[in-house]
Amino acid sequence: MLLTDVIMPTMGGAELRDRIVALTPTIKVLFMSGYSDEAISTKGVLDVGSAFIEKPFSPEDLARKVREVLDY
């Protein structure tokens, strides 16, 4: 599983995902950001339906979301 921030200084999370998926097509991906899901999706930063968790999150929320993504 890849857990990555959406916005990073050198390469965005979507580009990182694309590079990793090219090497490992079945990898599950979870994006995180301090920006809201709505802000990220309406700006076209991530594909609609991408797994996403908004920061800040608790360890329990992260564990729940990771389980959800792995089970999907």
Side-chain angles (χ1 to χ4, degrees), residues 42-71:
T42 59
K43 298 291 183 194
V45 177
L46 290 179
D47 300 330
V48 174
S50 294
F52 178 83
I53 188 167
E54 188 175 337
K55 294 190 277 185
F57 47 79
S58 69
E60 295 81 14
D61 288 340
L62 178 59
R64 203 172 303 113
K65 191 66 177 185
V66 165
R67 180 78 272 155
E68 177 185 311
V69 170
L70 290 175
D71 288 345

Side-chain angles (χ1 to χ4, degrees), residues 9-41:
T10 306
M11 176 188 320
E15 183 181 351
L16 175 62
R17 176 212 46 217
D18 294 346
R19 289 183 180 197
I20 300 277
V21 167
L23 300 171
T24 311
T26 58
I27 194 166
K28 305 285 183 144
V29 181
L30 174 57
F31 293 99
M32 62 181 164
S33 180
Y35 295 100
S36 71
D37 184 26
E38 182 178 322
I40 295 292
S41 62

